[in-house]
């Protein structure tokens, strides 16, 4: 069902309403391609032949056992812009400023353990303050999903990491 919803909804977006119910509109395609046998077999082989665990847990729990030399990438719901409408309702609990601060603390704890950590987010003053002291690179990213066409186009994002030298 999840694959069908992803393939048949607007731009493959996933979001829920305040009741936790999936609420992305149908994309109006007459044909929905939900099955690519070769791709499915490739993914199946990769997941079964490697030491991979897929979990649906809080981000802190998912990285609790990360150790020196591991690599962790976070792609959280992005911080909101004060001057623009921003979408963060991927689940009924949302992901607000307190969650952003908790993620930054987790990032710092992983850094202290020697884990290589990378994160992407909007280029906001708040995010830059949370990750002060780490490598922060501003990149332009194209946004094609927005109910208002004027909200589509290039936006500034940041890639934040605790590594970057030749020895890393």
């Amino acid at each position: 069902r999840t694959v069908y919803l992803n393939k048949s909804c607007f731009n493959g977006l996933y979001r829920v309403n305040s009741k936790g119910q999936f609420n992305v509109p149908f994309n109006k395609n007459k044909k929905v391609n939900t099955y690519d046998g070769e791709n499915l077999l490739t993914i199946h082989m990769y997941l079964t032949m490697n030491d991979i665990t897929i979990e649906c847990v809080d981000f802190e729990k998912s990285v609790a056992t990360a150790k020196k030399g591991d690599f962790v990438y976070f792609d959280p719901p992005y911080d909101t812009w004060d001057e623009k409408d921003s979408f963060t309702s991927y689940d009924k609990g949302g992901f607000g400023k307190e969650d952003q601060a908790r993620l930054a603390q987790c990032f710092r704890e992983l850094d202290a353990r020697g884990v290589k950590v990378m994160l992407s987010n909007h280029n906001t003053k708040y995010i830059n303050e949370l990750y002060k002291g780490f490598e922060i690179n501003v990149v332009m990213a194209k946004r094609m999903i927005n109910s208002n066409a004027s909200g589509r186009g290039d936006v500034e994002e940041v890639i934040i990491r605790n590594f970057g030298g030749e020895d890393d």
Side-chain angles (χ1 to χ4, degrees):
R1 285 187 231 169
T2 300
V3 171
Y4 178 79
L5 287 172
N6 176 260
K7 299 293 184 179
S8 65
C9 71
F10 177 72
N11 281 351
L13 180 67
Y14 181 89
R15 71 172 182 220
V16 297
N17 61 21
S18 61
K19 296 177 184 172
Q21 299 167 330
F22 182 81
N23 74 341
V24 178
F26 186 65
N27 73 7
K28 299 179 184 169
N29 286 348
K30 293 194 185 299
K31 183 177 180 183
V32 177
N33 183 12
T34 60
Y35 181 77
D36 176 343
E38 186 177 327
N39 187 45
L40 191 59
L41 181 59
T42 300
I43 292 168
H44 168 74
M45 297 301 291
Y46 184 82
L47 292 173
T48 56
M49 300 190 80
N50 292 284
D51 183 21
I52 296 172
T53 303
I54 298 174
E55 301 177 313
C56 182
V57 297
D58 183 81
F59 64 84
E60 287 180 302
K61 184 174 183 186
S62 72
V63 297
T65 59
K67 59 191 176 311
K68 184 175 183 169
D70 286 350
F71 172 75
V72 171
Y73 171 69
F74 289 114
D75 184 18
Y78 284 8
D79 187 34
T80 56
W81 288 296
D82 292 334
E83 68 279 1
K84 294 183 183 179
D85 287 337
S86 297
F87 175 78
T88 60
S89 300
Y90 292 96
D91 70 29
K92 63 182 179 179
F95 200 88
K97 301 288 189 193
E98 290 177 8
D99 298 299
Q100 295 289 355
R102 191 167 62 93
L103 179 57
Q105 180 59 37
C106 181
F107 191 103
R108 290 186 183 286
E109 289 169 6
L110 290 168
D111 176 57
R113 293 198 321 240
V115 176
K116 293 181 180 183
V117 193
M118 179 183 285
L119 176 138
S120 55
N121 213 312
H122 279 145
N123 186 20
T124 66
K125 182 178 178 183
Y126 184 65
I127 293 300
N128 279 271
E129 288 172 4
L130 286 176
Y131 294 93
K132 188 176 279 185
F134 292 105
E135 183 78 24
I136 300 176
N137 298 101
V138 177
V139 297
M140 297 306 291
K142 191 166 289 300
R143 288 289 170 264
M144 300 308 291
I145 299 176
N146 194 312
S147 59
N148 182 349
S150 67
R152 299 175 191 152
D154 290 341
V155 297
E156 282 190 1
E157 291 188 2
V158 287
I159 303 297
I160 303 164
R161 54 199 161 102
N162 68 341
F163 61 92
E166 294 297 318
D167 296 333
D168 288 325

